[in-house]
Amino acid sequence: MVNLEWYRTFKEVYENGTLTKASIALYSSQPGVSVHLNALEAYIGKKLFERTSRKMIPTEDGKFLYEYIIESLNKLEIAEQHFKRTTQETNPSINIGMCSEMFQLIIEPEIPKLDFDLVARFGAHTDLIKDLNNGILDLVITPKKQNDKKSLVEYVPFSKERIILIAGNKTDTTEIKKHIEANNLNSLEAELLKNSWYSSSNEMEHFRRFWFENFNKKPSFKPNYILPNITSIIRCLSNENGLALVPGFLCQKEISNKEINLVWEGKVKTENTLYFASRTDLKYKKELEVLRNIFTAKMK
């Protein structure tokens, strides 16, 4: 199904002649305008503009489409102005991307207090950064920094997440702690393998990294239970048996409530630097700063 915003974008590019001027008229980013225009061309199967270094020149198909839709679009815009003030005038909208666990812990409780609109997206960090580069997202919380000199994305470090070994409070960790205290890593590894393990598909990299940095080898086993996210792991472990490697800040409440136990922080610290990744051409910098302050305050 065609998206009405694609037609709005097409109209502004047609009337303004450049992607830059169209993005200003739409309160959008230039990459976002390109995404909409490319999507419309792909949908109808026609090339709508000849792209030059200075101007977007409509093709015959582009001219025909413009004449066909312009009257309807103008009527829609008049109706919008008559019945409702535009969202751009009253409520700025920020599009953010991060892991679902971080959203639930950090942002979700603060949403009723925000005085701007918010659209959240979850997914792999590489996909979220791609959407950020394309102007679809405004802010991404990521542990991975991509070095691309041509990109308009800037990365600002704001916190660290440390991967820790946790256990459900019904897990007997007596032997495990004994080997940790004795610094007997071979016996510790053997004891750990006797337990049931939990992990999530998007955290396997952290799992392997913790194992390699502390035992100087790749893990020789597959977790028994691979769940959708870390929140599910923590719920399954609470007041039960089993082990998992997770970012510590995600389970502080459960550790305080003694639903799960902190077993080991590792002989070698396994840490990830967390970055605010945002576009340098973002219009709503005030709203972005509000979100940054929420994260900074809660992750000290």
Side-chain angles (χ1 to χ4, degrees), residues 21-66:
K21 290 181 180 179
S23 67
I24 294 173
L26 291 165
Y27 299 93
S28 180
S29 64
Q30 185 172 321
V33 170
S34 295
V35 168
H36 281 184
L37 187 58
N38 292 338
L40 179 60
E41 288 182 326
Y43 180 81
I44 65 176
K46 303 284 187 181
K47 189 175 182 180
L48 300 175
F49 293 96
E50 295 293 342
R51 291 150 169 84
T52 69
S53 59
R54 295 186 176 181
K55 194 173 175 101
M56 300 286 283
I57 303 173
T59 63
E60 290 303 314
D61 288 315
K63 294 176 182 177
F64 177 78
L65 179 63
Y66 179 82

Short mmCIF file of all heavy atoms in Angstrom, two decimals, residues 21-66:
data_model
loop_
_atom_site.label_atom_id
_atom_site.label_comp_id
_atom_site.label_asym_id
_atom_site.label_seq_id
_atom_site.Cartn_x
_atom_site.Cartn_y
_atom_site.Cartn_z
N LYS A 21 15.74 21.71 -0.08
CA LYS A 21 14.61 22.63 0.12
C LYS A 21 13.35 21.86 0.50
O LYS A 21 12.55 22.32 1.33
CB LYS A 21 14.37 23.45 -1.15
CG LYS A 21 15.47 24.47 -1.43
CD LYS A 21 15.16 25.26 -2.69
CE LYS A 21 16.26 26.30 -2.97
NZ LYS A 21 15.98 27.06 -4.21
N ALA A 22 13.17 20.67 -0.07
CA ALA A 22 12.01 19.84 0.26
C ALA A 22 12.06 19.40 1.71
O ALA A 22 11.04 19.39 2.41
CB ALA A 22 11.94 18.63 -0.67
N SER A 23 13.26 19.04 2.18
CA SER A 23 13.39 18.59 3.57
C SER A 23 13.07 19.72 4.55
O SER A 23 12.47 19.48 5.59
CB SER A 23 14.81 18.05 3.82
OG SER A 23 15.78 19.08 3.76
N ILE A 24 13.44 20.95 4.20
CA ILE A 24 13.13 22.10 5.06
C ILE A 24 11.62 22.31 5.11
O ILE A 24 11.04 22.54 6.17
CB ILE A 24 13.84 23.36 4.54
CG1 ILE A 24 15.37 23.21 4.68
CG2 ILE A 24 13.36 24.60 5.29
CD1 ILE A 24 16.16 24.32 4.04
N ALA A 25 10.97 22.22 3.95
CA ALA A 25 9.52 22.41 3.89
C ALA A 25 8.77 21.34 4.66
O ALA A 25 7.69 21.59 5.21
CB ALA A 25 9.07 22.41 2.43
N LEU A 26 9.34 20.14 4.72
CA LEU A 26 8.68 19.00 5.37
C LEU A 26 9.11 18.83 6.82
O LEU A 26 8.65 17.90 7.49
CB LEU A 26 9.00 17.72 4.61
CG LEU A 26 8.38 17.58 3.22
CD1 LEU A 26 9.07 16.46 2.44
CD2 LEU A 26 6.88 17.31 3.34
N TYR A 27 10.01 19.69 7.32
CA TYR A 27 10.56 19.54 8.67
C TYR A 27 11.19 18.15 8.83
O TYR A 27 11.02 17.47 9.84
CB TYR A 27 9.48 19.73 9.74
CG TYR A 27 8.84 21.08 9.74
CD1 TYR A 27 7.67 21.30 9.02
CD2 TYR A 27 9.40 22.14 10.44
CE1 TYR A 27 7.07 22.56 9.00
CE2 TYR A 27 8.80 23.40 10.42
CZ TYR A 27 7.64 23.60 9.70
OH TYR A 27 7.06 24.84 9.68
N SER A 28 11.89 17.73 7.81
CA SER A 28 12.47 16.39 7.79
C SER A 28 13.95 16.51 7.45
O SER A 28 14.48 17.60 7.24
CB SER A 28 11.74 15.52 6.76
OG SER A 28 12.26 14.22 6.72
N SER A 29 14.62 15.35 7.39
CA SER A 29 16.02 15.33 6.99
C SER A 29 16.11 15.00 5.51
O SER A 29 15.21 14.38 4.93
CB SER A 29 16.79 14.27 7.80
OG SER A 29 16.31 12.98 7.50
N GLN A 30 17.21 15.39 4.88
CA GLN A 30 17.38 15.11 3.46
C GLN A 30 17.39 13.61 3.17
O GLN A 30 16.76 13.17 2.21
CB GLN A 30 18.65 15.78 2.94
CG GLN A 30 18.83 15.63 1.43
CD GLN A 30 20.00 16.46 0.92
OE1 GLN A 30 20.23 17.57 1.39
NE2 GLN A 30 20.77 15.91 -0.01
N PRO A 31 18.10 12.80 3.98
CA PRO A 31 18.04 11.35 3.74
C PRO A 31 16.63 10.79 3.87
O PRO A 31 16.24 9.87 3.14
CB PRO A 31 18.96 10.77 4.82
CG PRO A 31 19.91 11.87 5.13
CD PRO A 31 19.10 13.12 5.02
N GLY A 32 15.83 11.34 4.80
CA GLY A 32 14.45 10.89 4.95
C GLY A 32 13.63 11.18 3.71
O GLY A 32 12.80 10.36 3.29
N VAL A 33 13.85 12.36 3.11
CA VAL A 33 13.17 12.71 1.87
C VAL A 33 13.57 11.73 0.76
O VAL A 33 12.72 11.27 -0.01
CB VAL A 33 13.51 14.16 1.46
CG1 VAL A 33 13.01 14.46 0.05
CG2 VAL A 33 12.90 15.14 2.45
N SER A 34 14.84 11.41 0.67
CA SER A 34 15.31 10.45 -0.34
C SER A 34 14.68 9.09 -0.17
O SER A 34 14.30 8.44 -1.15
CB SER A 34 16.84 10.33 -0.27
OG SER A 34 17.48 11.53 -0.59
N VAL A 35 14.55 8.65 1.10
CA VAL A 35 13.93 7.34 1.37
C VAL A 35 12.50 7.31 0.87
O VAL A 35 12.07 6.36 0.21
CB VAL A 35 13.99 7.02 2.88
CG1 VAL A 35 13.11 5.82 3.22
CG2 VAL A 35 15.42 6.75 3.31
N HIS A 36 11.72 8.38 1.16
CA HIS A 36 10.32 8.44 0.72
C HIS A 36 10.22 8.46 -0.81
O HIS A 36 9.39 7.75 -1.39
CB HIS A 36 9.66 9.69 1.28
CG HIS A 36 9.26 9.56 2.72
ND1 HIS A 36 8.59 10.54 3.41
CD2 HIS A 36 9.44 8.54 3.60
CE1 HIS A 36 8.36 10.14 4.65
NE2 HIS A 36 8.89 8.94 4.79
N LEU A 37 11.07 9.26 -1.43
CA LEU A 37 11.02 9.38 -2.88
C LEU A 37 11.40 8.06 -3.56
O LEU A 37 10.74 7.62 -4.52
CB LEU A 37 11.95 10.50 -3.34
CG LEU A 37 11.89 10.87 -4.84
CD1 LEU A 37 10.47 11.27 -5.24
CD2 LEU A 37 12.87 11.99 -5.14
N ASN A 38 12.44 7.42 -3.08
CA ASN A 38 12.86 6.14 -3.64
C ASN A 38 11.78 5.08 -3.45
O ASN A 38 11.55 4.23 -4.33
CB ASN A 38 14.16 5.66 -2.99
CG ASN A 38 15.35 6.53 -3.37
OD1 ASN A 38 15.32 7.21 -4.39
ND2 ASN A 38 16.37 6.54 -2.54
N ALA A 39 11.11 5.12 -2.30
CA ALA A 39 10.04 4.15 -2.03
C ALA A 39 8.87 4.35 -3.00
O ALA A 39 8.29 3.38 -3.49
CB ALA A 39 9.57 4.28 -0.59
N LEU A 40 8.52 5.62 -3.27
CA LEU A 40 7.43 5.90 -4.20
C LEU A 40 7.78 5.43 -5.61
O LEU A 40 6.95 4.83 -6.30
CB LEU A 40 7.10 7.39 -4.18
CG LEU A 40 5.98 7.85 -5.12
CD1 LEU A 40 4.67 7.15 -4.77
CD2 LEU A 40 5.81 9.37 -5.06
N GLU A 41 9.00 5.71 -6.05
CA GLU A 41 9.43 5.29 -7.38
C GLU A 41 9.43 3.76 -7.50
O GLU A 41 9.02 3.20 -8.52
CB GLU A 41 10.82 5.84 -7.69
CG GLU A 41 10.82 7.34 -7.95
CD GLU A 41 12.20 7.88 -8.32
OE1 GLU A 41 13.20 7.34 -7.79
OE2 GLU A 41 12.28 8.82 -9.12
N ALA A 42 9.86 3.10 -6.44
CA ALA A 42 9.87 1.63 -6.45
C ALA A 42 8.44 1.09 -6.49
O ALA A 42 8.16 0.09 -7.16
CB ALA A 42 10.61 1.10 -5.23
N TYR A 43 7.53 1.77 -5.77
CA TYR A 43 6.15 1.30 -5.70
C TYR A 43 5.44 1.42 -7.05
O TYR A 43 4.74 0.49 -7.48
CB TYR A 43 5.40 2.09 -4.64
CG TYR A 43 3.96 1.68 -4.48
CD1 TYR A 43 3.60 0.57 -3.71
CD2 TYR A 43 2.93 2.41 -5.10
CE1 TYR A 43 2.28 0.19 -3.57
CE2 TYR A 43 1.61 2.03 -4.96
CZ TYR A 43 1.29 0.92 -4.19
OH TYR A 43 -0.02 0.54 -4.07
N ILE A 44 5.60 2.57 -7.71
CA ILE A 44 4.88 2.76 -8.98
C ILE A 44 5.67 2.23 -10.18
O ILE A 44 5.13 2.11 -11.28
CB ILE A 44 4.54 4.25 -9.20
CG1 ILE A 44 5.81 5.09 -9.37
CG2 ILE A 44 3.68 4.77 -8.07
CD1 ILE A 44 5.53 6.54 -9.68
N GLY A 45 6.96 1.93 -9.97
CA GLY A 45 7.77 1.37 -11.05
C GLY A 45 8.15 2.38 -12.12
O GLY A 45 8.41 2.01 -13.27
N LYS A 46 8.17 3.66 -11.75
CA LYS A 46 8.52 4.72 -12.70
C LYS A 46 9.57 5.64 -12.09
O LYS A 46 9.58 5.89 -10.89
CB LYS A 46 7.28 5.56 -13.05
CG LYS A 46 6.10 4.78 -13.61
CD LYS A 46 6.31 4.38 -15.05
CE LYS A 46 5.05 3.76 -15.61
NZ LYS A 46 5.24 3.33 -17.02
N LYS A 47 10.44 6.17 -12.95
CA LYS A 47 11.40 7.17 -12.51
C LYS A 47 10.72 8.53 -12.57
O LYS A 47 10.21 8.94 -13.63
CB LYS A 47 12.64 7.14 -13.40
CG LYS A 47 13.78 8.00 -12.90
CD LYS A 47 15.01 7.80 -13.78
CE LYS A 47 16.19 8.63 -13.25
NZ LYS A 47 17.39 8.45 -14.09
N LEU A 48 10.70 9.25 -11.46
CA LEU A 48 9.95 10.51 -11.38
C LEU A 48 10.82 11.74 -11.58
O LEU A 48 10.30 12.81 -11.93
CB LEU A 48 9.24 10.59 -10.03
CG LEU A 48 8.25 9.45 -9.74
CD1 LEU A 48 7.70 9.57 -8.33
CD2 LEU A 48 7.12 9.46 -10.76
N PHE A 49 12.12 11.61 -11.35
CA PHE A 49 13.02 12.76 -11.51
C PHE A 49 14.33 12.32 -12.15
O PHE A 49 14.80 11.20 -11.93
CB PHE A 49 13.33 13.40 -10.15
CG PHE A 49 12.17 14.05 -9.48
CD1 PHE A 49 11.44 13.36 -8.53
CD2 PHE A 49 11.80 15.34 -9.80
CE1 PHE A 49 10.36 13.95 -7.89
CE2 PHE A 49 10.73 15.96 -9.15
CZ PHE A 49 10.00 15.24 -8.20
N GLU A 50 14.92 13.24 -12.92
CA GLU A 50 16.31 13.10 -13.34
C GLU A 50 17.14 13.85 -12.31
O GLU A 50 16.92 15.04 -12.07
CB GLU A 50 16.53 13.71 -14.73
CG GLU A 50 15.80 13.01 -15.86
CD GLU A 50 16.33 11.60 -16.12
OE1 GLU A 50 17.46 11.31 -15.67
OE2 GLU A 50 15.62 10.80 -16.75
N ARG A 51 18.04 13.16 -11.68
CA ARG A 51 18.81 13.75 -10.59
C ARG A 51 20.10 14.36 -11.12
O ARG A 51 20.93 13.66 -11.71
CB ARG A 51 19.11 12.70 -9.53
CG ARG A 51 17.85 12.24 -8.76
CD ARG A 51 17.99 10.81 -8.30
NE ARG A 51 16.96 10.41 -7.36
CZ ARG A 51 15.74 9.98 -7.71
NH1 ARG A 51 15.41 9.90 -9.01
NH2 ARG A 51 14.87 9.62 -6.79
N THR A 52 20.26 15.67 -10.93
CA THR A 52 21.50 16.35 -11.29
C THR A 52 22.13 16.90 -10.02
O THR A 52 21.55 16.84 -8.94
CB THR A 52 21.24 17.49 -12.28
OG1 THR A 52 20.54 18.54 -11.61
CG2 THR A 52 20.39 17.01 -13.47
N SER A 53 23.32 17.45 -10.16
CA SER A 53 24.02 17.96 -8.98
C SER A 53 23.33 19.18 -8.39
O SER A 53 23.50 19.49 -7.21
CB SER A 53 25.47 18.31 -9.34
OG SER A 53 25.50 19.28 -10.38
N ARG A 54 22.54 19.89 -9.18
CA ARG A 54 21.92 21.12 -8.70
C ARG A 54 20.40 21.06 -8.57
O ARG A 54 19.82 21.82 -7.80
CB ARG A 54 22.29 22.28 -9.64
CG ARG A 54 23.76 22.62 -9.64
CD ARG A 54 24.01 23.87 -10.46
NE ARG A 54 25.41 24.26 -10.40
CZ ARG A 54 25.90 25.34 -11.02
NH1 ARG A 54 25.09 26.11 -11.74
NH2 ARG A 54 27.18 25.63 -10.92
N LYS A 55 19.75 20.17 -9.30
CA LYS A 55 18.29 20.24 -9.33
C LYS A 55 17.71 18.86 -9.63
O LYS A 55 18.34 18.03 -10.27
CB LYS A 55 17.85 21.24 -10.41
CG LYS A 55 16.39 21.64 -10.31
CD LYS A 55 16.09 22.75 -11.29
CE LYS A 55 14.61 23.06 -11.29
NZ LYS A 55 14.23 24.20 -10.54
N MET A 56 16.50 18.66 -9.13
CA MET A 56 15.72 17.47 -9.44
C MET A 56 14.77 17.84 -10.58
O MET A 56 13.87 18.67 -10.41
CB MET A 56 14.94 17.02 -8.21
CG MET A 56 15.80 16.67 -7.01
SD MET A 56 16.66 15.11 -7.19
CE MET A 56 15.32 13.97 -6.87
N ILE A 57 14.99 17.26 -11.76
CA ILE A 57 14.20 17.61 -12.95
C ILE A 57 13.13 16.55 -13.16
O ILE A 57 13.44 15.37 -13.33
CB ILE A 57 15.10 17.69 -14.19
CG1 ILE A 57 16.22 18.72 -13.95
CG2 ILE A 57 14.27 18.05 -15.41
CD1 ILE A 57 17.25 18.76 -15.04
N PRO A 58 11.84 16.93 -13.12
CA PRO A 58 10.77 15.95 -13.28
C PRO A 58 10.81 15.26 -14.64
O PRO A 58 11.05 15.91 -15.67
CB PRO A 58 9.49 16.77 -13.12
CG PRO A 58 9.92 18.05 -12.47
CD PRO A 58 11.32 18.29 -12.92
N THR A 59 10.60 13.97 -14.66
CA THR A 59 10.43 13.23 -15.92
C THR A 59 8.99 13.43 -16.39
O THR A 59 8.16 14.02 -15.70
CB THR A 59 10.71 11.74 -15.70
OG1 THR A 59 9.73 11.22 -14.77
CG2 THR A 59 12.10 11.50 -15.14
N GLU A 60 8.68 12.89 -17.55
CA GLU A 60 7.30 12.98 -18.05
C GLU A 60 6.35 12.25 -17.11
O GLU A 60 5.23 12.71 -16.86
CB GLU A 60 7.21 12.42 -19.47
CG GLU A 60 7.90 13.29 -20.52
CD GLU A 60 7.36 14.71 -20.53
OE1 GLU A 60 6.11 14.88 -20.52
OE2 GLU A 60 8.18 15.65 -20.53
N ASP A 61 6.80 11.11 -16.58
CA ASP A 61 5.97 10.39 -15.61
C ASP A 61 5.79 11.20 -14.34
O ASP A 61 4.72 11.20 -13.73
CB ASP A 61 6.61 9.03 -15.27
CG ASP A 61 6.50 8.04 -16.41
OD1 ASP A 61 5.40 7.94 -17.00
OD2 ASP A 61 7.50 7.36 -16.70
N GLY A 62 6.86 11.92 -13.93
CA GLY A 62 6.77 12.76 -12.76
C GLY A 62 5.78 13.90 -12.95
O GLY A 62 4.98 14.22 -12.05
N LYS A 63 5.80 14.53 -14.14
CA LYS A 63 4.87 15.62 -14.44
C LYS A 63 3.43 15.12 -14.44
O LYS A 63 2.53 15.77 -13.92
CB LYS A 63 5.22 16.25 -15.79
CG LYS A 63 6.56 16.96 -15.82
CD LYS A 63 6.87 17.47 -17.23
CE LYS A 63 8.25 18.14 -17.27
NZ LYS A 63 8.58 18.57 -18.65
N PHE A 64 3.23 13.94 -15.02
CA PHE A 64 1.89 13.37 -15.09
C PHE A 64 1.37 13.06 -13.69
O PHE A 64 0.22 13.37 -13.36
CB PHE A 64 1.91 12.10 -15.94
CG PHE A 64 0.57 11.42 -16.02
CD1 PHE A 64 -0.43 11.88 -16.86
CD2 PHE A 64 0.30 10.30 -15.22
CE1 PHE A 64 -1.66 11.26 -16.92
CE2 PHE A 64 -0.92 9.67 -15.28
CZ PHE A 64 -1.91 10.15 -16.12
N LEU A 65 2.22 12.47 -12.84
CA LEU A 65 1.80 12.13 -11.47
C LEU A 65 1.46 13.39 -10.68
O LEU A 65 0.48 13.42 -9.95
CB LEU A 65 2.90 11.34 -10.77
CG LEU A 65 2.61 10.94 -9.32
CD1 LEU A 65 1.40 9.99 -9.26
CD2 LEU A 65 3.82 10.27 -8.67
N TYR A 66 2.28 14.42 -10.84
CA TYR A 66 2.04 15.68 -10.12
C TYR A 66 0.68 16.26 -10.48
O TYR A 66 -0.10 16.63 -9.60
CB TYR A 66 3.14 16.68 -10.44
CG TYR A 66 2.96 18.02 -9.75
CD1 TYR A 66 3.37 18.19 -8.43
CD2 TYR A 66 2.37 19.10 -10.41
CE1 TYR A 66 3.20 19.41 -7.78
CE2 TYR A 66 2.19 20.32 -9.78
CZ TYR A 66 2.61 20.47 -8.46
OH TYR A 66 2.43 21.68 -7.82
#
